[in-house]
Amino acid sequence: MKQKSDYSNEMEYIKDWCITVIDFKLEMIETSTLVKKLYEPLKKDLISNFSSKNKIIQKGFKEAYRSMKDEVRYWPDRIRTDLNNILYSKFGETINQKKEEEIRTIMKRGIINNDDEFRMVDEKVNEICQTNPEPSELSKLNYLLLKYEQNKK
């Protein structure tokens, strides 16, 4: 179980990370009016409600964080590189580093705990298959995915 301070730190990180990405998106990329209408209220909610003890709000912020990370993966390389530079200077890590760290933690633990981790490991397996696969890593990740699916049934 996470300590309350760990959870508070996680929520603070999520808030700061999301605001950084939203600011980047709104200021650095030519953004349509529709996108601005979607992201500006989210930013205001993050600022005003991030410390809420309401589990639904916290879950919503975590989902916004995951959605933004997924979205950034599809941005053009030059834009993603600019964002990664900002994230590295502010948080000391890039989008890819955080994901790789989480996958290493899952592999070390030897079990996938939830659907989000399952999705992340599945994406990693797909990445490995498209590049130069290392058999031992690929087989361990596939084993974790299979084990999670079997336990879920």
Side-chain angles (χ1 to χ4, degrees):
M1 177 186 258
K2 288 185 180 180
Q3 299 290 330
K4 286 186 180 183
S5 63
D6 290 343
Y7 197 74
S8 297
N9 290 340
E10 179 186 15
M11 292 307 293
E12 182 74 31
Y13 174 85
I14 287 171
K15 177 194 79 149
D16 291 344
W17 191 93
C18 288
I19 289 172
T20 301
V21 173
I22 290 169
D23 286 344
F24 176 82
K25 186 169 186 149
L26 294 176
E27 295 171 15
M28 304 298 278
I29 303 172
E30 291 196 23
T31 307
S32 71
T33 306
L34 177 62
V35 171
K36 287 181 182 181
K37 285 181 181 178
L38 292 172
Y39 280 96
E40 287 172 347
L42 176 60
K43 181 179 173 180
K44 287 178 187 171
D45 279 348
L46 282 163
I47 292 168
S48 62
N49 294 324
F50 90 95
S51 63
S52 171
K53 303 298 182 212
N54 184 322
K55 298 288 183 193
I56 294 171
I57 291 174
Q58 292 174 345
K59 189 174 182 175
F61 289 156
K62 286 182 176 186
E63 185 57 39
Y65 172 67
R66 285 188 291 273
S67 294
M68 282 188 225
K69 284 183 1 186
D70 287 343
E71 176 188 342
V72 168
R73 286 190 16 231
Y74 299 104
W75 289 1
D77 286 341
R78 64 179 176 71
I79 294 173
R80 196 172 54 245
T81 299
D82 290 344
L83 176 61
N84 271 331
N85 289 336
I86 292 168
L87 293 173
Y88 187 78
S89 69
K90 190 167 185 175
F91 301 105
E93 60 192 16
T94 65
I95 293 167
N96 296 339
Q97 286 173 315
K98 182 77 172 168
K99 181 179 172 185
E100 292 297 323
E101 180 183 310
E102 290 170 358
I103 290 173
R104 279 193 303 275
T105 300
I106 293 166
M107 288 178 70
K108 187 175 181 180
R109 184 175 58 219
I111 190 166
I112 296 172
N113 288 331
N114 56 48
D115 290 342
D116 294 328
E117 289 181 355
F118 179 86
R119 195 173 321 124
M120 189 183 334
V121 172
D122 188 49
E123 288 172 2
K124 180 64 177 176
V125 166
N126 290 331
E127 283 176 26
I128 291 172
C129 288
Q130 292 174 8
T131 61
N132 188 9
E134 184 173 321
S136 64
E137 182 182 17
L138 186 59
S139 63
K140 180 160 185 169
L141 291 171
N142 276 324
Y143 173 76
L144 292 173
L145 291 170
L146 177 64
K147 193 167 139 183
Y148 180 76
E149 286 182 326
Q150 288 173 340
N151 288 338
K152 205 169 176 185
K153 291 179 181 178

